[in-house]
Amino acid sequence: MSKMNSYRKPLIWVTSTIILIGIILSLSPFVLSLKPNPRSQQEILEIELSEVAEYEHKIFVMKPSKVSEIGTATHLYPGSGYLVIRGKSDKFFTYWLTTWKGNALLPESHWGQHGFSCNDFGPNLINGEISNESIISCNDIDVPPWGPIQWKWDMGGSNQSGQSPDLKRIKHKIVNRKLVLYAH
């Protein structure tokens, strides 16, 4: 019986070790899946901070608009870009936009149905600053009469009239004095 007890401790130790290794190996796929998907942080644009001054805004065109002639038909293809607004102390607001020749292409009822090409689309200044209370709108002088009512968004991207879709916010962060925009 004492010879059997002498084999029992190493056998328990080896069995416990094998079970522990099995548990760790079976849990590793679940633990590894908790890391963010690398595609979810795909960079879409990198901007030097100096390209947008404090309290200014700029549209960065990613896909230019184009006109295509097919036979007697003319097809207009809007582009896309990003509205970047810089507030105080490197506070940025970033949104996706449809564009036409570098201007914001504002919607009639959804982002695929375009109503107006706005040359000066951005926030109003409150006491000389861009703040969370600023309103994003078209500041052109030739805006249709219904435009100022329909095309107003808060800094969170929500349409204030309920007649146009919300702006699509784009995730971003500052890395090495660059503003980096992400796809998701």
Side-chain angles (χ1 to χ4, degrees), residues 139-159:
N139 301 303
D140 290 358
I141 57 171
D142 60 343
V143 176
W146 46 267
I149 298 164
Q150 182 174 337
W151 296 325
K152 292 188 334 185
W153 292 267
D154 65 21
M155 294 305 286
S158 297
N159 183 262

Side-chain angles (χ1 to χ4, degrees), residues 30-181:
F30 301 108
V31 172
L32 293 174
S33 71
L34 295 176
K35 290 193 310 187
N37 184 338
R39 290 187 304 167
S40 70
Q41 291 294 312
Q42 182 180 4
E43 292 181 16
I44 52 177
L45 182 61
E46 216 175 75
I47 303 165
E48 293 286 337
L49 293 184
S50 60
E51 288 188 54
V52 182
E54 195 169 68
Y55 307 124
E56 289 190 357
H57 62 279
K58 186 174 181 181
I59 294 176
F60 292 87
V61 175
M62 296 302 294
K63 179 182 147 201
S65 50
K66 64 180 183 175
V67 177
S68 176
E69 302 286 336
I70 301 174
T72 58
T74 301
H75 297 277
L76 305 176
Y77 299 98
S80 63
Y82 301 96
L83 173 63
V84 176
I85 301 169
R86 185 174 186 175
K88 188 176 185 174
S89 303
D90 289 341
K91 180 168 175 120
F92 286 88
F93 303 87
T94 53
Y95 311 91
W96 174 87
L97 291 174
T98 52
T99 60
W100 183 255
K101 297 183 180 177
N103 294 337
L105 199 51
L106 301 181
E108 281 192 17
S109 60
H110 56 81
W111 284 110
Q113 183 180 13
H114 312 294
F116 186 74
S117 177
C118 180
N119 183 48
D120 185 13
F121 182 67
N124 63 328
L125 298 178
I126 298 175
N127 297 325
E129 297 182 354
I130 294 171
S131 72
N132 288 334
E133 290 77 38
S134 295
I135 297 294
I136 301 169
S137 62
C138 182
N139 301 303
D140 290 358
I141 57 171
D142 60 343
V143 176
W146 46 267
I149 298 164
Q150 182 174 337
W151 296 325
K152 292 188 334 185
W153 292 267
D154 65 21
M155 294 305 286
S158 297
N159 183 262
Q160 298 299 289
S161 70
Q163 299 174 0
S164 288
D166 294 341
L167 292 171
K168 182 176 182 199
R169 294 198 65 173
I170 300 296
K171 291 182 182 178
H172 64 273
K173 65 181 174 181
I174 297 175
V175 179
N176 298 326
R177 299 297 301 158
K178 292 182 181 180
L179 179 69
V180 180
L181 277 59

Side-chain angles (χ1 to χ4, degrees), residues 1-12:
M1 187 90 162
S2 68
K3 191 172 184 179
M4 209 165 173
N5 280 341
S6 65
Y7 291 123
R8 181 175 262 177
K9 281 188 179 183
L11 187 58
I12 290 173

